[in-house]
Amino acid sequence: MKSQRAELVADAAIDLLADRGMRGLTHRAVDEAAGLPPGSTSNLARTRSALLELTLARLTQLESAAFAPILGPPGPDVVEALAEMTAQAFWVQLTVGRRRTIARYELAFEATRRPELRTIYDRAGERFRGLAVAILSAAGSSDPVRHGRQFVAFGEGVMFDAVIGAGVEPTLDDLRLGIREILRGMLGRETP
C-alpha cells in the first residue's frame, strides 16, 4: 500500500462494499466514510477502476496477513497442524474478517465484467494458490498443483456458502474436521 491515506481510502471502500455493495461504492461515499474532505479519494484514485484496484490491493494485503500463520512449520503431524492452522485462518475470514470476505466477493463479481480488474484479481488469487501448492508439496502431495487448486476451491466454497447464507454456518470444529478430511485424502493419509 502506498500510504496511510491510501490504506484509509481502501479500508473505507472495503466497508462500503460490505455495507452497500458495488453500487454504493463511489468516490464521494469513500470520502465521507473515511472522514476526508470532498475530492480526496479522486485525488488518490482518479477513476472507478483505480479505486477498485486500490481496494483489491488492500484486500490482498489484509488477507495475506490473515493466512500468514499457515506459513509456519507444520510440526510432526502435518495433517493435524495444517488443518488447525487453515481452520483458524478460515475462521478469521468468516468472523472478524467477514466484511473483507464480503467485499472480496463483490470485487470478484465485478472482475467478471472488468478485464483490467480480472487481471489483478487473478494475480492475487495466484498468490494464494501458490501458497497452497507450496504447503501441499512440502507435506508430501503427489500432485501439489492440482491439490493446491482443489484446496483453495474447497476453502472458497466453504466461505462462500457461509457468507452468502446458502448453507449452515460452520463452527471452528466443522472447519477443522472438513480440512482434516480433505488433507488426508490429498496426502493419502488414513482417517482415524
Side-chain angles (χ1 to χ4, degrees), residues 1-13 27 30-31 34 36-55:
M1 203 56 20
K2 298 172 187 172
S3 68
Q4 285 183 324
R5 179 159 284 203
E7 287 183 4
L8 178 65
V9 164
D11 289 344
H27 285 75
V30 173
D31 286 341
L36 295 171
S40 297
T41 299
S42 290
N43 286 334
L44 186 65
R46 298 220 50 79
T47 64
R48 181 168 181 78
S49 185
L51 179 58
L52 294 173
E53 290 174 20
L54 178 74
T55 305

Side-chain angles (χ1 to χ4, degrees), residues 13-84:
I14 290 166
D15 284 338
L16 285 167
L17 285 170
D19 290 339
R20 301 180 191 172
M22 193 59 66
R23 295 176 83 183
L25 181 66
T26 65
H27 285 75
R28 180 178 295 168
V30 173
D31 286 341
E32 290 172 9
L36 295 171
S40 297
T41 299
S42 290
N43 286 334
L44 186 65
R46 298 220 50 79
T47 64
R48 181 168 181 78
S49 185
L51 179 58
L52 294 173
E53 290 174 20
L54 178 74
T55 305
L56 183 54
R58 178 67 171 154
L59 269 172
T60 301
Q61 180 185 40
L62 294 169
E63 289 187 337
S64 292
F67 282 90
I70 295 176
L71 297 173
D77 186 343
V78 174
V79 169
E80 196 56 42
L82 285 177
E84 182 61 31

Side-chain angles (χ1 to χ4, degrees), residues 14-192:
I14 290 166
D15 284 338
L16 285 167
L17 285 170
D19 290 339
R20 301 180 191 172
M22 193 59 66
R23 295 176 83 183
L25 181 66
T26 65
H27 285 75
R28 180 178 295 168
V30 173
D31 286 341
E32 290 172 9
L36 295 171
S40 297
T41 299
S42 290
N43 286 334
L44 186 65
R46 298 220 50 79
T47 64
R48 181 168 181 78
S49 185
L51 179 58
L52 294 173
E53 290 174 20
L54 178 74
T55 305
L56 183 54
R58 178 67 171 154
L59 269 172
T60 301
Q61 180 185 40
L62 294 169
E63 289 187 337
S64 292
F67 282 90
I70 295 176
L71 297 173
D77 186 343
V78 174
V79 169
E80 196 56 42
L82 285 177
E84 182 61 31
M85 290 185 287
T86 306
Q88 292 289 339
F90 287 178
W91 185 250
V92 166
Q93 294 299 97
L94 293 174
T95 56
V96 296
R98 186 179 195 88
R99 295 170 60 73
R100 287 192 313 259
T101 303
I102 293 168
R104 182 166 52 84
Y105 288 137
E106 287 284 344
L107 287 167
F109 290 130
E110 186 67 13
T112 66
R113 295 177 288 280
R114 291 180 177 260
E116 71 282 2
L117 188 59
R118 174 90 266 155
T119 300
I120 296 165
Y121 193 86
D122 288 348
R123 196 174 323 126
E126 279 302 314
R127 290 176 62 186
F128 292 100
R129 283 186 290 283
L131 172 62
V133 168
I135 289 169
L136 291 168
S137 180
S141 166
S142 62
D143 192 348
V145 173
R146 183 172 56 85
H147 288 157
R149 203 172 50 246
Q150 290 172 339
F151 192 66
V152 170
F154 167 80
E156 285 293 343
V158 167
M159 287 188 283
F160 189 85
D161 187 60
V163 169
I164 300 305
V168 175
E169 186 88 17
T171 66
L172 184 55
D173 285 337
D174 292 335
L175 291 170
R176 285 182 185 115
L177 179 60
I179 294 165
R180 192 180 300 130
E181 289 170 343
I182 197 167
L183 285 171
R184 285 191 176 122
M186 288 177 175
L187 300 174
R189 309 284 204 289
E190 299 260 338
T191 303

